[in-house]
Amino acid sequence: MKSKTLSQPTTWRTTATPTRSNGQRLFLHGLRMLVIYLGLLAVGFIFMIPLLWMLTTALKPLPDIFKMPPVWLPNPPQWQQMWEPWIQRSFTLYFGNTLEIALLSVIGTTLSSSLVAYAFARLRWPGRDLFFLLTLSAMMLPIQVRLIPLFLIFKQLGWINTHLPLIVPHFFGGAFEIFLLRQNFRGLPRDLDDSAKIDGASYFRIYWNILLPLVKPALAAVGIFTFMNQWNAFLTPLIYLSERKKYVLAIGLAVMRDEFQVDWSDLMAISFLVTLLPLVVFFVAQKYFIQGVTMTGLKG
């Protein structure tokens, strides 16, 4: 007879794996975030060192600037050195010139570039892609290549030694700004245009009332880029401006450096004050700036 073997039931041994409690997870998450923020603060402080050194140098007495080892904190701070050079060296006038050029350039660039970008992104017309390629190719031309032709054109127009060469070109758009806004326009649904057309809206009304408010972050990014470029511009104002009363801040800082002597205290004080406004502008509008840049590649 065949022996029957009874199969024994198989028992599985499970080893309990220790699980972290909610308190432990929260503690580890908090510790991780603390390390990240401390690292970011350390990196931010490293980038702030030049600005802090500029401020402390502006407040030091002149002999302390060249002491070795360096004197990090002014004792006592010379607070009058922060505004006296600004007033004595006519930097209020240079500030007004720079602010006028920067604000008008922002207005011209945002309006013209958004209008051209709308035509490239939402309208269909012969040669659209070819013209967009030509527009992008303009970004490959450095400003030094265009200086002499532009100077001759502005000389014929009688614009030399005026602010017009620094403002008027921005009312004809910029290649990078057009590309940035075009990508944002392309990311918007086409149903918006179709619905507006059914209601009888014109192309300009669609652009101005419907699509333009939806790309405010990109417009803010374009405005910040333009403002920063014009605020720090040095080469083009140096070429077109010759009268001292029409100088901008960058040229005013440059002429402070004499051939044989530089007043480092005055130079650092004015440089610090010149840096404050761009910092304020960026911190106020950084949310829109980041949104405008990150949304650029969503569709295209």
Side-chain angles (χ1 to χ4, degrees), residues 10 86 193 299:
T10 305
W86 183 277
D193 303 60
K299 185 176 180 181

Side-chain angles (χ1 to χ4, degrees), residues 7-293:
S7 59
Q8 299 294 330
T10 305
T11 60
W12 298 94
R13 294 182 179 179
T14 59
T15 58
T17 58
T19 59
R20 294 173 179 171
S21 63
N22 291 334
Q24 289 177 328
R25 286 197 296 268
L26 290 175
F27 174 76
L28 292 176
H29 177 72
L31 183 62
R32 188 183 305 112
M33 297 305 297
L34 178 64
V35 172
I36 292 174
Y37 282 117
L38 288 177
L40 293 175
L41 285 175
V43 174
F45 179 75
I46 293 173
F47 281 98
M48 287 290 291
I49 288 177
L51 188 64
L52 296 176
W53 178 256
M54 192 186 305
L55 176 61
T56 57
T57 304
L59 299 177
K60 291 177 188 175
L62 191 59
D64 290 351
I65 296 177
F66 303 101
K67 279 187 178 180
M68 292 299 294
V71 178
W72 291 96
L73 298 177
N75 188 21
Q78 307 294 315
W79 294 106
Q80 73 278 1
Q81 294 180 173
M82 290 298 297
W83 63 82
E84 285 181 354
W86 183 277
I87 298 173
Q88 294 172 358
R89 295 177 180 267
S90 304
F91 268 84
T92 303
L93 178 62
Y94 304 156
F95 175 83
N97 294 337
T98 308
L99 191 63
E100 173 198 1
I101 294 171
L103 292 180
L104 291 176
S105 299
V106 168
I107 295 172
T109 301
T110 51
L111 289 178
S112 58
S113 298
S114 61
L115 193 60
V116 176
Y118 167 74
F120 279 133
R122 314 295 287 193
L123 305 182
R124 295 181 177 88
W125 42 279
R128 182 189 64 176
D129 296 336
L130 176 61
F131 279 100
F132 181 66
L133 182 62
L134 293 175
T135 302
L136 291 183
S137 64
M139 289 194 295
M140 305 176 190
L141 292 176
I143 183 61
Q144 292 81 1
V145 176
R146 297 174 285 167
L147 278 179
I148 295 178
L150 288 175
F151 183 86
L152 295 176
I153 293 173
F154 295 141
K155 183 180 179 182
Q156 292 295 324
L157 294 173
W159 289 359
I160 301 301
N161 198 29
T162 68
H163 293 158
L164 292 176
L166 307 175
I167 298 173
V168 173
H170 290 275
F171 283 83
F172 293 91
F176 172 74
E177 291 80 5
I178 292 172
F179 168 75
L180 183 69
L181 292 170
R182 172 187 177 269
Q183 298 303 100
N184 279 265
F185 277 127
R186 285 174 62 90
L188 300 177
R190 284 281 180 179
D191 297 340
L192 296 174
D193 303 60
D194 299 335
S195 301
K197 290 177 184 177
I198 293 174
D199 293 336
S202 62
Y203 286 119
F204 183 80
R205 189 173 181 83
I206 295 172
Y207 153 76
W208 185 259
N209 294 106
I210 298 176
L211 299 183
L212 199 61
L214 297 177
V215 294
K216 284 182 180 178
L219 290 175
V222 169
I224 293 174
F225 278 129
T226 306
F227 184 86
M228 295 296 184
N229 290 334
Q230 290 297 89
W231 190 264
N232 299 318
F234 175 76
L235 181 60
T236 48
L238 181 65
I239 292 174
Y240 297 124
L241 304 178
S242 56
E243 288 187 41
R244 199 177 188 92
K245 65 180 182 179
K246 297 179 181 178
Y247 282 174
V248 295
L249 289 172
I251 299 181
L253 286 171
V255 298
M256 286 183 64
R257 303 188 61 176
D258 298 332
E259 185 176 358
F260 302 104
Q261 183 181 1
V262 180
D263 193 335
W264 291 106
S265 178
D266 290 358
L267 185 62
M268 291 297 104
I270 295 177
S271 299
F272 179 80
L273 295 176
V274 169
T275 309
L276 286 181
L277 184 59
L279 286 177
V280 172
V281 170
F282 178 77
F283 279 113
V284 169
Q286 62 176 329
K287 179 179 70 172
Y288 300 103
F289 173 76
I290 295 172
Q291 288 180 2
V293 174

